[in-house]
């Protein structure tokens, strides 16, 4: 079951990474569109980039606490040990 758990965690990680990349590209595209119309300056781009990076790191850290078994009494529930 250890190999199956590893594959499950890897698949979940890929799904999360794809969502993060999509969100980052969407925010960057939004700021670029605002800049085309003169509604954004460099500071908005910097703040948007830093904000998206912080959210992406937070979401990526949630993978640590993700459990492939999906039940409460799991041995792999993050940093907690039995």
């Amino acid at each position: 079951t250890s190999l199956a758990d590893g594959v499950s965690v890897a698949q979940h990680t890929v799904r999360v990474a794809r969502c993060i990349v999509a969100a980052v590209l969407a925010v960057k595209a939004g700021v670029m569109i605002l800049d085309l119309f003169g509604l954004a300056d460099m500071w908005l781009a910097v703040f948007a980039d830093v904000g998206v990076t912080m959210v992406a790191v937070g979401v990526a850290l949630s993978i640590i606490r993700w459990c492939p078994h999906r039940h409460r009494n799991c041995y792999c529930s993050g940093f907690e040990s039995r």
Side-chain angles (χ1 to χ4, degrees):
T1 63
S2 179
L3 180 63
D5 292 345
V7 170
S8 180
V9 170
Q11 289 172 342
H12 179 71
T13 303
V14 168
R15 282 193 302 269
V16 169
R18 286 182 179 158
C19 289
I20 290 172
V21 168
V24 167
L25 291 177
V27 169
K28 287 183 182 281
V31 171
M32 286 176 62
I33 289 171
L34 287 175
D35 188 43
L36 286 175
F37 295 111
L39 300 173
D41 57 353
M42 183 60 90
W43 285 110
L44 179 65
V46 169
F47 287 134
D49 195 36
V50 170
V52 168
T53 301
M54 291 174 59
V55 170
V57 168
V59 171
L61 287 174
S62 72
I63 295 172
I64 293 173
R65 297 191 53 87
W66 185 77
C67 172
H69 304 108
R70 295 182 179 85
H71 57 79
R72 291 179 58 90
N73 298 325
C74 182
Y75 66 88
C76 65
S77 58
F79 297 109
E80 302 168 8
S81 61
R82 287 195 116 181

